[in-house]
Coordinates of all heavy atoms in Angstrom, one line a residue:
M1 N 0.8 -1.2 0.0 CA 0.0 0.0 0.0 C 0.9 1.3 0.0 O 0.6 2.2 -0.8 CB -0.9 0.0 1.2 CG -2.0 1.0 1.2 SD -3.3 0.6 0.1 CE -4.4 1.9 0.4
K2 N 1.9 1.3 0.9 CA 2.8 2.4 0.9 C 3.6 2.6 -0.4 O 3.8 3.7 -0.8 CB 3.7 2.4 2.1 CG 2.9 2.6 3.4 CD 3.9 2.6 4.6 CE 3.1 2.8 5.9 NZ 4.0 2.9 7.0
D3 N 4.0 1.5 -0.9 CA 4.8 1.6 -2.2 C 3.9 2.2 -3.3 O 4.4 2.9 -4.1 CB 5.2 0.2 -2.6 CG 6.3 -0.4 -1.7 OD1 7.0 0.5 -1.0 OD2 6.5 -1.6 -1.7
R4 N 2.6 1.8 -3.3 CA 1.7 2.3 -4.3 C 1.6 3.8 -4.2 O 1.6 4.6 -5.1 CB 0.4 1.6 -4.3 CG -0.6 2.2 -5.2 CD -1.9 1.5 -5.1 NE -1.9 0.4 -6.1 CZ -2.8 -0.6 -6.1 NH1 -3.7 -0.7 -5.2 NH2 -2.7 -1.5 -7.1
D5 N 1.4 4.3 -2.9 CA 1.3 5.7 -2.6 C 2.5 6.5 -3.0 O 2.5 7.5 -3.6 CB 0.9 6.0 -1.2 CG -0.4 5.5 -0.8 OD1 -1.3 5.3 -1.7 OD2 -0.7 5.2 0.4
L6 N 3.7 5.9 -2.7 CA 4.9 6.5 -3.0 C 5.1 6.6 -4.5 O 5.6 7.7 -5.0 CB 6.1 5.7 -2.4 CG 7.5 6.3 -2.6 CD1 7.6 7.7 -2.0 CD2 8.5 5.4 -2.0
R7 N 4.8 5.6 -5.2 CA 4.9 5.5 -6.7 C 4.0 6.6 -7.3 O 4.4 7.3 -8.2 CB 4.6 4.1 -7.2 CG 5.0 4.0 -8.7 CD 4.8 2.6 -9.2 NE 5.6 1.7 -8.5 CZ 5.2 0.6 -7.9 NH1 3.9 0.2 -7.9 NH2 6.0 -0.2 -7.3
A8 N 2.8 6.7 -6.8 CA 1.8 7.6 -7.3 C 2.3 9.1 -7.1 O 2.2 9.9 -8.0 CB 0.4 7.4 -6.7
R9 N 2.8 9.3 -5.9 CA 3.4 10.7 -5.6 C 4.6 11.0 -6.5 O 4.7 12.1 -7.0 CB 3.8 10.8 -4.1 CG 2.6 10.9 -3.2 CD 2.9 11.0 -1.7 NE 4.1 11.8 -1.5 CZ 4.9 11.6 -0.4 NH1 4.5 10.7 0.5 NH2 5.9 12.3 -0.2
M10 N 5.4 10.0 -6.7 CA 6.6 10.2 -7.6 C 6.2 10.5 -9.0 O 6.7 11.4 -9.7 CB 7.5 9.0 -7.5 CG 8.9 9.2 -8.0 SD 10.0 8.0 -7.6 CE 10.0 7.0 -9.1
N11 N 5.2 9.7 -9.5 CA 4.7 9.9 -10.9 C 4.1 11.3 -11.0 O 4.3 12.0 -12.0 CB 3.7 8.9 -11.3 CG 4.4 7.5 -11.5 OD1 5.6 7.5 -11.7 ND2 3.6 6.4 -11.4
A12 N 3.3 11.7 -10.0 CA 2.7 13.1 -10.0 C 3.8 14.2 -10.0 O 3.7 15.2 -10.8 CB 1.8 13.2 -8.9
A13 N 4.8 14.0 -9.2 CA 5.9 15.0 -9.2 C 6.6 15.0 -10.5 O 7.0 16.1 -11.0 CB 6.9 14.7 -8.0
T14 N 6.9 13.9 -11.1 CA 7.6 13.9 -12.4 C 6.7 14.5 -13.5 O 7.2 15.3 -14.3 CB 7.8 12.4 -12.8 OG1 8.6 11.8 -11.8 CG2 8.6 12.3 -14.1
K15 N 5.4 14.3 -13.5 CA 4.5 14.9 -14.5 C 4.5 16.4 -14.3 O 4.5 17.2 -15.2 CB 3.1 14.3 -14.3 CG 2.2 14.9 -15.4 CD 0.8 14.3 -15.2 CE -0.2 14.8 -16.2 NZ -0.1 16.2 -16.6
A16 N 4.5 16.8 -13.0 CA 4.4 18.3 -12.7 C 5.7 18.9 -13.2 O 5.7 20.0 -13.8 CB 4.3 18.5 -11.2
A17 N 6.9 18.2 -13.0 CA 8.1 18.8 -13.5 C 8.2 18.9 -15.0 O 8.6 19.9 -15.6 CB 9.3 17.9 -13.0
F18 N 7.7 17.9 -15.7 CA 7.7 17.9 -17.2 C 6.7 19.0 -17.7 O 7.0 19.7 -18.6 CB 7.2 16.6 -17.7 CG 8.4 15.6 -17.9 CD1 8.4 14.4 -17.1 CD2 9.4 15.8 -18.8 CE1 9.4 13.5 -17.3 CE2 10.5 15.0 -18.9 CZ 10.5 13.8 -18.1
D19 N 5.6 19.2 -17.0 CA 4.6 20.2 -17.4 C 5.2 21.6 -17.2 O 5.1 22.5 -18.0 CB 3.3 20.1 -16.6 CG 2.5 18.8 -17.0 OD1 2.8 18.3 -18.1 OD2 1.6 18.5 -16.3
R20 N 5.9 21.8 -16.1 CA 6.5 23.1 -15.8 C 7.6 23.4 -16.8 O 7.7 24.5 -17.3 CB 7.1 23.0 -14.3 CG 7.7 24.4 -13.9 CD 8.2 24.3 -12.5 NE 9.1 23.3 -12.2 CZ 8.9 22.2 -11.5 NH1 7.7 22.0 -10.9 NH2 9.8 21.3 -11.3
D21 N 8.4 22.4 -17.1 CA 9.5 22.6 -18.1 C 8.9 22.9 -19.5 O 9.4 23.8 -20.2 CB 10.3 21.3 -18.2 CG 11.6 21.6 -19.0 OD1 12.3 22.5 -18.7 OD2 11.8 20.8 -20.0
A22 N 7.8 22.2 -19.9 CA 7.2 22.5 -21.2 C 6.6 23.9 -21.2 O 6.7 24.6 -22.2 CB 6.1 21.5 -21.5
R23 N 6.0 24.3 -20.1 CA 5.4 25.7 -20.0 C 6.5 26.8 -20.1 O 6.3 27.8 -20.7 CB 4.6 25.8 -18.7 CG 3.8 27.0 -18.6 CD 2.9 27.1 -17.3 NE 3.8 27.1 -16.1 CZ 3.8 26.1 -15.2 NH1 3.1 25.0 -15.4 NH2 4.6 26.2 -14.2
I24 N 7.6 26.5 -19.4 CA 8.7 27.5 -19.4 C 9.2 27.7 -20.9 O 9.5 28.8 -21.3 CB 9.8 27.1 -18.5 CG1 9.4 27.3 -17.0 CG2 11.1 27.9 -18.7 CD1 10.3 26.7 -16.0
H25 N 9.4 26.6 -21.6 CA 10.0 26.7 -22.9 C 9.1 26.8 -24.1 O 9.5 26.8 -25.2 CB 10.9 25.4 -23.1 CG 12.1 25.4 -22.2 ND1 12.0 24.7 -21.0 CD2 13.2 26.0 -22.2 CE1 13.2 24.8 -20.4 NE2 13.9 25.6 -21.1
E26 N 7.8 27.1 -23.8 CA 6.9 27.2 -24.9 C 6.9 28.5 -25.6 O 6.6 28.6 -26.8 CB 5.4 26.9 -24.5 CG 4.8 28.0 -23.6 CD 3.5 27.7 -23.1 OE1 3.0 26.5 -23.3 OE2 2.9 28.5 -22.5
K27 N 7.4 29.6 -25.0 CA 7.5 30.9 -25.6 C 8.8 31.1 -26.2 O 9.8 30.8 -25.5 CB 7.2 32.0 -24.5 CG 5.8 32.0 -23.9 CD 5.7 33.1 -22.9 CE 4.3 33.0 -22.2 NZ 4.3 34.0 -21.1
P28 N 8.9 31.7 -27.4 CA 10.2 32.1 -27.9 C 10.8 33.2 -27.1 O 10.1 34.0 -26.5 CB 9.9 32.4 -29.3 CG 8.5 32.8 -29.4 CD 7.8 32.1 -28.3
V29 N 12.2 33.3 -27.1 CA 12.8 34.4 -26.4 C 13.6 35.2 -27.4 O 14.0 34.7 -28.5 CB 13.8 33.8 -25.3 CG1 13.0 33.0 -24.3 CG2 14.9 33.0 -25.9
S30 N 13.9 36.4 -27.0 CA 14.7 37.3 -27.8 C 15.5 38.3 -27.0 O 15.1 38.6 -25.8 CB 13.9 38.1 -28.9 OG 13.1 39.0 -28.2
K31 N 16.6 38.8 -27.5 CA 17.4 39.7 -26.8 C 16.6 41.0 -26.6 O 16.8 41.7 -25.6 CB 18.7 40.0 -27.5 CG 19.8 40.5 -26.7 CD 21.1 40.4 -27.4 CE 22.2 40.6 -26.3 NZ 23.5 40.3 -26.9
L32 N 15.8 41.4 -27.6 CA 15.0 42.6 -27.5 C 14.0 42.5 -26.3 O 13.9 43.5 -25.5 CB 14.2 42.8 -28.8 CG 13.3 44.0 -28.9 CD1 14.2 45.3 -28.9 CD2 12.5 44.0 -30.2
E33 N 13.4 41.4 -26.1 CA 12.5 41.2 -24.9 C 13.3 41.3 -23.6 O 12.8 41.9 -22.7 CB 11.8 39.9 -25.0 CG 10.8 39.6 -23.9 CD 10.2 38.3 -23.8 OE1 10.5 37.4 -24.6 OE2 9.4 38.0 -22.9
L34 N 14.5 40.7 -23.6 CA 15.3 40.8 -22.4 C 15.6 42.2 -22.1 O 15.5 42.6 -20.9 CB 16.6 40.0 -22.7 CG 17.6 40.0 -21.5 CD1 17.1 39.4 -20.3 CD2 18.9 39.3 -22.0
K35 N 16.1 43.0 -23.1 CA 16.4 44.4 -22.8 C 15.2 45.2 -22.3 O 15.3 46.0 -21.4 CB 17.0 45.0 -24.0 CG 18.4 44.5 -24.3 CD 19.1 45.3 -25.4 CE 20.4 44.7 -25.7 NZ 21.4 45.1 -24.9
A36 N 14.0 44.9 -22.9 CA 12.8 45.6 -22.5 C 12.4 45.3 -21.1 O 12.0 46.1 -20.3 CB 11.7 45.3 -23.5
R37 N 12.5 44.0 -20.7 CA 12.2 43.6 -19.4 C 13.2 44.1 -18.4 O 12.8 44.5 -17.2 CB 12.1 42.1 -19.3 CG 10.8 41.5 -19.9 CD 10.7 40.0 -19.7 NE 9.4 39.5 -20.2 CZ 8.3 39.5 -19.5 NH1 8.3 40.0 -18.3 NH2 7.2 39.1 -20.1
E38 N 14.4 44.2 -18.7 CA 15.4 44.8 -17.8 C 15.2 46.2 -17.6 O 15.4 46.8 -16.5 CB 16.8 44.5 -18.3 CG 17.3 43.1 -18.2 CD 18.6 42.8 -18.7 OE1 19.1 43.5 -19.6 OE2 19.2 41.7 -18.3
K39 N 14.7 47.0 -18.7 CA 14.4 48.4 -18.5 C 13.2 48.6 -17.6 O 13.1 49.6 -16.9 CB 14.1 49.0 -19.9 CG 15.2 49.6 -20.6 CD 14.8 50.3 -21.8 CE 15.9 50.7 -22.7 NZ 15.5 51.4 -23.9
R40 N 12.3 47.6 -17.6 CA 11.1 47.7 -16.8 C 11.3 47.3 -15.4 O 10.4 47.4 -14.6 CB 10.0 46.8 -17.4 CG 8.8 47.6 -18.0 CD 7.7 46.7 -18.4 NE 8.1 45.8 -19.4 CZ 7.5 44.7 -19.8 NH1 6.5 44.3 -19.1 NH2 8.0 43.9 -20.7
R41 N 12.5 46.9 -15.1 CA 12.8 46.5 -13.7 C 12.5 47.7 -12.8 O 12.8 48.8 -13.1 CB 14.2 46.1 -13.5 CG 14.5 44.7 -13.7 CD 16.0 44.4 -13.4 NE 16.2 42.9 -13.5 CZ 17.4 42.4 -13.7 NH1 18.5 43.2 -13.8 NH2 17.6 41.1 -13.8
A42 N 12.0 47.4 -11.6 CA 11.7 48.4 -10.7 C 13.0 48.9 -10.1 O 13.9 48.2 -9.7 CB 10.8 47.9 -9.5
T43 N 13.1 50.2 -10.0 CA 14.3 50.9 -9.4 C 13.9 51.3 -8.0 O 12.9 51.8 -7.8 CB 14.8 52.1 -10.2 OG1 13.7 53.0 -10.4 CG2 15.3 51.7 -11.6
P44 N 14.8 51.0 -7.1 CA 14.5 51.4 -5.7 C 14.4 52.9 -5.6 O 15.2 53.7 -6.1 CB 15.7 50.9 -4.9 CG 16.5 50.1 -5.8 CD 16.1 50.4 -7.2
A45 N 13.4 53.4 -4.9 CA 13.2 54.8 -4.7 C 13.1 55.1 -3.2 O 12.5 54.3 -2.4 CB 11.8 55.2 -5.3
S46 N 13.8 56.1 -2.8 CA 13.8 56.4 -1.3 C 12.5 57.1 -0.9 O 11.9 57.9 -1.7 CB 15.0 57.4 -1.0 OG 14.8 58.6 -1.7
Q47 N 12.0 56.7 0.2 CA 10.8 57.2 0.7 C 11.0 57.7 2.2 O 11.8 57.1 2.9 CB 9.7 56.1 0.7 CG 9.3 55.7 -0.7 CD 8.2 54.6 -0.7 OE1 7.9 54.1 0.4 NE2 7.7 54.3 -1.8
N48 N 10.2 58.6 2.5 CA 10.3 59.2 3.9 C 9.4 58.3 4.9 O 9.6 58.3 6.0 CB 9.8 60.6 3.9 CG 10.9 61.5 3.2 OD1 12.0 61.1 3.2 ND2 10.4 62.6 2.8
N49 N 8.4 57.7 4.4 CA 7.5 57.0 5.2 C 7.7 55.5 5.0 O 8.1 55.0 4.0 CB 6.0 57.3 5.0 CG 5.6 57.1 3.6 OD1 6.4 56.7 2.8 ND2 4.4 57.3 3.3
L50 N 7.4 54.7 6.0 CA 7.6 53.2 5.9 C 6.3 52.5 5.8 O 6.3 51.3 5.9 CB 8.3 52.8 7.2 CG 9.8 53.3 7.4 CD1 10.4 52.8 8.7 CD2 10.6 52.9 6.2
T51 N 5.2 53.2 5.6 CA 3.9 52.5 5.5 C 3.6 52.3 4.0 O 3.6 53.2 3.2 CB 2.8 53.4 6.1 OG1 2.8 54.7 5.5 CG2 2.9 53.6 7.6
P52 N 3.3 51.0 3.7 CA 3.0 50.8 2.3 C 1.6 51.3 1.9 O 0.8 51.6 2.8 CB 3.1 49.2 2.2 CG 2.9 48.8 3.6 CD 3.4 49.9 4.5
D53 N 1.3 51.3 0.6 CA 0.0 51.8 0.2 C -1.1 50.8 0.5 O -2.2 51.2 0.4 CB 0.1 52.0 -1.3 CG 1.0 53.1 -1.7 OD1 1.3 54.0 -0.9 OD2 1.5 53.1 -2.9
G54 N -0.8 49.6 0.8 CA -1.8 48.7 1.1 C -1.3 47.3 0.8 O -0.4 47.1 -0.1
F55 N -1.8 46.3 1.5 CA -1.3 44.9 1.3 C -1.6 44.4 -0.1 O -0.8 43.8 -0.7 CB -2.0 44.0 2.4 CG -1.6 42.6 2.2 CD1 -0.3 42.1 2.6 CD2 -2.4 41.6 1.6 CE1 0.1 40.8 2.4 CE2 -2.0 40.3 1.4 CZ -0.8 39.9 1.8
D56 N -2.8 44.7 -0.6 CA -3.1 44.2 -1.9 C -2.2 44.8 -3.0 O -1.8 44.1 -3.9 CB -4.6 44.6 -2.3 CG -5.6 43.8 -1.3 OD1 -5.2 42.8 -0.8 OD2 -6.7 44.3 -1.1
V57 N -2.0 46.1 -2.9 CA -1.1 46.8 -3.9 C 0.3 46.2 -3.8 O 0.9 45.9 -4.8 CB -1.1 48.3 -3.7 CG1 -0.1 49.0 -4.6 CG2 -2.4 48.9 -3.9
Q58 N 0.8 46.0 -2.6 CA 2.1 45.4 -2.4 C 2.2 44.0 -3.0 O 3.2 43.6 -3.6 CB 2.5 45.5 -0.9 CG 3.9 45.0 -0.6 CD 4.2 45.1 0.8 OE1 3.3 45.4 1.6 NE2 5.4 44.8 1.2
A59 N 1.2 43.2 -2.7 CA 1.2 41.8 -3.2 C 1.2 41.8 -4.7 O 1.9 41.0 -5.3 CB 0.0 41.1 -2.6
V60 N 0.4 42.6 -5.3 CA 0.3 42.6 -6.8 C 1.7 43.1 -7.4 O 2.2 42.5 -8.3 CB -0.8 43.6 -7.3 CG1 -0.7 43.8 -8.8 CG2 -2.2 43.0 -6.9
N61 N 2.2 44.1 -6.8 CA 3.5 44.6 -7.3 C 4.6 43.5 -7.1 O 5.5 43.3 -8.0 CB 4.0 45.9 -6.6 CG 3.1 47.1 -7.0 OD1 2.5 47.0 -8.0 ND2 3.1 48.1 -6.2
E62 N 4.6 42.8 -6.0 CA 5.6 41.8 -5.8 C 5.4 40.6 -6.8 O 6.4 40.1 -7.3 CB 5.5 41.2 -4.4 CG 6.1 42.1 -3.4 CD 5.9 41.6 -1.9 OE1 5.4 40.5 -1.8 OE2 6.3 42.3 -1.0
A63 N 4.2 40.3 -7.1 CA 3.9 39.2 -8.1 C 4.4 39.6 -9.5 O 5.0 38.8 -10.2 CB 2.4 38.9 -8.1
V64 N 4.1 40.9 -9.9 CA 4.5 41.3 -11.2 C 6.0 41.3 -11.3 O 6.6 40.9 -12.3 CB 3.9 42.7 -11.5 CG1 4.5 43.3 -12.7 CG2 2.4 42.6 -11.6
E65 N 6.7 41.9 -10.3 CA 8.2 41.9 -10.3 C 8.8 40.5 -10.3 O 9.8 40.2 -10.9 CB 8.7 42.7 -9.1 CG 8.4 44.2 -9.2 CD 8.8 45.0 -8.0 OE1 9.4 44.4 -7.1 OE2 8.5 46.2 -8.0
S66 N 8.2 39.6 -9.5 CA 8.6 38.2 -9.4 C 8.5 37.6 -10.8 O 9.5 36.9 -11.3 CB 7.8 37.5 -8.4 OG 8.2 36.1 -8.4
E67 N 7.4 37.8 -11.5 CA 7.2 37.2 -12.8 C 8.2 37.8 -13.8 O 8.8 37.0 -14.6 CB 5.8 37.5 -13.3 CG 5.5 37.1 -14.7 CD 5.7 35.6 -15.0 OE1 5.5 34.8 -14.1 OE2 5.9 35.2 -16.2
N68 N 8.5 39.1 -13.7 CA 9.4 39.7 -14.6 C 10.9 39.2 -14.4 O 11.6 38.8 -15.3 CB 9.4 41.2 -14.4 CG 10.2 42.0 -15.5 OD1 10.2 41.6 -16.6 ND2 10.8 43.1 -15.1
E69 N 11.3 39.0 -13.1 CA 12.6 38.5 -12.8 C 12.7 37.0 -13.2 O 13.8 36.6 -13.7 CB 12.9 38.6 -11.3 CG 13.1 40.0 -10.8 CD 14.3 40.7 -11.5 OE1 15.3 40.1 -11.7 OE2 14.2 41.9 -11.8
R70 N 11.6 36.2 -13.1 CA 11.7 34.8 -13.5 C 11.9 34.7 -15.0 O 12.7 34.0 -15.5 CB 10.4 34.1 -13.1 CG 10.4 32.7 -13.4 CD 9.0 32.1 -13.1 NE 8.0 32.5 -14.0 CZ 7.8 32.0 -15.2 NH1 8.6 31.1 -15.7 NH2 6.9 32.5 -16.0
R71 N 11.1 35.6 -15.7 CA 11.2 35.6 -17.2 C 12.6 36.0 -17.6 O 13.2 35.5 -18.6 CB 10.1 36.4 -17.8 CG 10.1 36.4 -19.3 CD 9.6 35.1 -19.8 NE 9.6 35.2 -21.3 CZ 9.7 34.2 -22.1 NH1 9.8 33.0 -21.7 NH2 9.6 34.4 -23.4
I72 N 13.2 37.1 -17.0 CA 14.5 37.5 -17.3 C 15.5 36.4 -17.1 O 16.4 36.1 -18.0 CB 14.9 38.7 -16.5 CG1 14.2 40.0 -16.9 CG2 16.4 39.0 -16.5 CD1 14.3 41.2 -16.0
H73 N 15.4 35.7 -16.0 CA 16.3 34.5 -15.7 C 16.2 33.5 -16.8 O 17.2 32.9 -17.3 CB 16.0 34.0 -14.3 CG 16.9 32.8 -14.0 ND1 18.2 32.9 -13.7 CD2 16.6 31.5 -13.9 CE1 18.7 31.7 -13.5 NE2 17.7 30.8 -13.6
I74 N 15.0 33.1 -17.2 CA 14.8 32.1 -18.2 C 15.4 32.5 -19.5 O 16.0 31.8 -20.2 CB 13.3 31.8 -18.4 CG1 12.7 31.1 -17.1 CG2 13.0 31.0 -19.6 CD1 11.2 31.0 -17.1
I75 N 15.1 33.8 -19.9 CA 15.7 34.3 -21.2 C 17.2 34.3 -21.2 O 17.8 33.8 -22.1 CB 15.1 35.7 -21.5 CG1 13.6 35.7 -21.7 CG2 15.9 36.4 -22.6 CD1 13.0 37.1 -21.8
Q76 N 17.8 34.7 -20.1 CA 19.3 34.7 -20.0 C 19.8 33.3 -20.1 O 20.8 33.1 -20.8 CB 19.7 35.4 -18.7 CG 19.6 36.9 -18.7 CD 20.0 37.5 -17.4 OE1 19.9 36.8 -16.3 NE2 20.3 38.8 -17.4
K77 N 19.2 32.4 -19.4 CA 19.6 31.0 -19.5 C 19.5 30.4 -20.9 O 20.5 29.8 -21.3 CB 18.7 30.2 -18.5 CG 19.4 29.0 -17.9 CD 18.7 28.6 -16.6 CE 17.8 27.4 -17.0 NZ 17.2 26.8 -15.8
R78 N 18.4 30.7 -21.5 CA 18.2 30.1 -22.9 C 19.2 30.8 -23.9 O 19.7 30.1 -24.8 CB 16.8 30.2 -23.3 CG 15.9 29.2 -22.6 CD 14.5 29.2 -23.0 NE 14.4 28.8 -24.4 CZ 13.2 28.9 -25.1 NH1 12.2 29.4 -24.5 NH2 13.2 28.5 -26.3
L79 N 19.4 32.1 -23.8 CA 20.3 32.8 -24.7 C 21.7 32.3 -24.5 O 22.5 32.2 -25.4 CB 20.1 34.3 -24.6 CG 18.8 34.9 -25.1 CD1 18.8 36.4 -24.8 CD2 18.7 34.6 -26.6
N80 N 22.1 32.1 -23.2 CA 23.5 31.7 -22.9 C 23.7 30.3 -23.5 O 24.8 29.9 -23.9 CB 23.8 31.7 -21.4 CG 24.0 33.1 -21.0 OD1 24.3 34.0 -21.7 ND2 23.8 33.3 -19.7
R81 N 22.6 29.4 -23.4 CA 22.8 28.1 -23.9 C 23.0 28.1 -25.5 O 23.7 27.2 -26.0 CB 21.5 27.3 -23.6 CG 21.6 25.8 -23.8 CD 20.4 25.1 -23.4 NE 19.5 25.8 -22.6 CZ 18.2 25.6 -22.5 NH1 17.6 24.6 -23.2 NH2 17.4 26.3 -21.7
Q82 N 22.5 29.0 -26.2 CA 22.6 29.1 -27.6 C 23.9 29.9 -28.0 O 24.2 29.9 -29.2 CB 21.4 29.7 -28.2 CG 20.1 28.9 -28.0 CD 20.3 27.5 -28.6 OE1 20.8 27.3 -29.7 NE2 19.8 26.5 -27.9
K83 N 24.5 30.5 -27.1 CA 25.7 31.4 -27.4 C 26.8 30.5 -28.0 O 27.2 29.5 -27.5 CB 26.1 32.1 -26.1 CG 27.1 33.2 -26.4 CD 27.4 33.8 -25.0 CE 28.2 35.1 -25.2 NZ 28.4 35.7 -23.9
D84 N 27.2 30.9 -29.2 CA 28.3 30.3 -29.9 C 28.0 28.8 -30.3 O 28.9 28.0 -30.5 CB 29.6 30.3 -29.1 CG 30.1 31.7 -28.9 OD1 29.9 32.6 -29.7 OD2 30.8 32.0 -27.8
K85 N 26.8 28.4 -30.3 CA 26.4 27.1 -30.6 C 26.7 26.7 -32.0 O 27.3 25.7 -32.3 CB 24.9 26.8 -30.3 CG 24.5 25.4 -30.5 CD 23.1 25.2 -30.1 CE 22.5 23.8 -30.1 NZ 23.1 22.8 -31.0
A86 N 26.4 27.7 -33.0 CA 26.7 27.4 -34.4 C 28.2 27.2 -34.6 O 28.7 26.3 -35.3 CB 26.2 28.5 -35.2
R87 N 29.0 28.1 -34.0 CA 30.5 28.0 -34.1 C 31.0 26.7 -33.6 O 31.8 26.0 -34.2 CB 31.2 29.2 -33.5 CG 32.7 29.2 -33.7 CD 33.4 30.3 -33.0 NE 32.9 31.6 -33.4 CZ 32.5 32.5 -32.5 NH1 32.5 32.3 -31.3 NH2 32.1 33.7 -33.0
N88 N 30.5 26.3 -32.4 CA 31.0 25.1 -31.8 C 30.6 23.9 -32.6 O 31.3 22.9 -32.8 CB 30.4 24.9 -30.4 CG 31.1 26.0 -29.5 OD1 32.1 26.5 -29.7 ND2 30.4 26.2 -28.3
D89 N 29.3 23.9 -33.1 CA 28.9 22.8 -34.0 C 29.7 22.7 -35.2 O 30.0 21.6 -35.7 CB 27.4 22.9 -34.3 CG 26.5 22.6 -33.0 OD1 27.0 22.1 -32.1 OD2 25.3 23.0 -33.1
F90 N 30.0 23.8 -35.8 CA 30.8 23.8 -37.1 C 32.2 23.3 -36.8 O 32.7 22.5 -37.6 CB 30.9 25.2 -37.6 CG 31.7 25.3 -38.9 CD1 31.1 24.9 -40.1 CD2 32.9 25.9 -38.9 CE1 31.9 25.0 -41.3 CE2 33.7 25.9 -40.0 CZ 33.1 25.5 -41.2
T91 N 32.8 23.7 -35.8 CA 34.2 23.2 -35.5 C 34.2 21.7 -35.2 O 35.1 21.0 -35.5 CB 34.9 24.0 -34.4 OG1 34.1 23.9 -33.2 CG2 35.1 25.5 -34.8
R92 N 33.1 21.3 -34.5 CA 33.0 19.9 -34.2 C 32.8 19.0 -35.4 O 33.3 17.9 -35.5 CB 31.9 19.6 -33.2 CG 31.9 18.3 -32.6 CD 30.8 18.0 -31.6 NE 30.5 19.2 -30.8 CZ 29.3 19.5 -30.5 NH1 28.3 18.8 -30.9 NH2 29.0 20.6 -29.7
S93 N 32.2 19.6 -36.4 CA 31.9 18.8 -37.6 C 33.1 18.7 -38.6 O 33.1 17.9 -39.5 CB 30.7 19.4 -38.4 OG 31.0 20.6 -38.9
R94 N 34.1 19.5 -38.4 CA 35.2 19.5 -39.3 C 36.1 18.4 -39.1 O 36.4 17.6 -38.4 CB 36.0 20.8 -39.1 CG 35.2 22.0 -39.6 CD 35.9 23.2 -39.3 NE 36.5 23.7 -40.5 CZ 37.4 24.6 -40.6 NH1 37.8 25.2 -39.5 NH2 37.9 25.0 -41.7

C-alpha cells in the first residue's frame, strides 16, 4: 500500500516537473524582450515613510516583479545556452 502511494506521488511529481518545463520553454525568447524587461525592472526609490500603500497593492507589485525576474532569468539561461552554438557545432563537424 505504501509503495503504491509513493509511486503515485513520484509519478505526479515527475509529471508536474515535465509540465513546468514545457510551460517555461513554450514561448520564444529574444534579446529585445530581455532588454525591454530589464528596462522595466523596478528601481529602488527612497521614501520618507515606511507605511506601504496597502497589502493588496504590495502583493500585486511583488507578483509582477517576481514574474518579470523569473522571465529575465529564463531568457538569459536560454540565450546563454545558444551562445556560440553554431560555431561550436561547425568546428566539431570539421
Side-chain angles (χ1 to χ4, degrees):
M1 188 78 172
K2 289 185 180 183
D3 290 338
R4 175 180 268 167
D5 293 339
L6 182 61
R7 189 174 300 127
R9 284 180 38 207
M10 195 165 100
N11 288 341
T14 303
K15 182 182 181 321
F18 276 115
D19 290 345
R20 184 175 56 250
D21 191 54
R23 189 176 62 247
I24 287 172
H25 293 97
E26 72 184 4
K27 295 179 185 174
V29 300
S30 68
K31 200 166 199 174
L32 182 66
E33 181 187 1
L34 176 64
K35 289 188 184 278
R37 285 185 175 272
E38 285 177 340
K39 270 188 187 176
R40 247 189 296 161
R41 270 185 176 160
T43 54
S46 60
Q47 296 180 349
N48 291 334
N49 58 356
L50 298 176
T51 56
D53 294 335
F55 178 75
D56 295 333
V57 174
Q58 185 179 5
V60 169
N61 289 341
E62 285 177 4
V64 169
E65 289 174 8
S66 173
E67 172 64 24
N68 193 34
E69 290 298 320
R70 186 185 67 79
R71 184 70 178 154
I72 287 172
H73 178 71
I74 290 169
I75 291 172
Q76 286 175 339
K77 211 161 96 173
R78 288 184 64 190
L79 289 177
N80 286 339
R81 196 177 340 154
Q82 296 301 320
K83 193 175 189 179
D84 297 330
K85 187 174 185 333
R87 183 183 303 129
N88 292 340
D89 289 346
F90 179 74
T91 57
R92 192 177 324 138
S93 68
R94 294 175 102 191

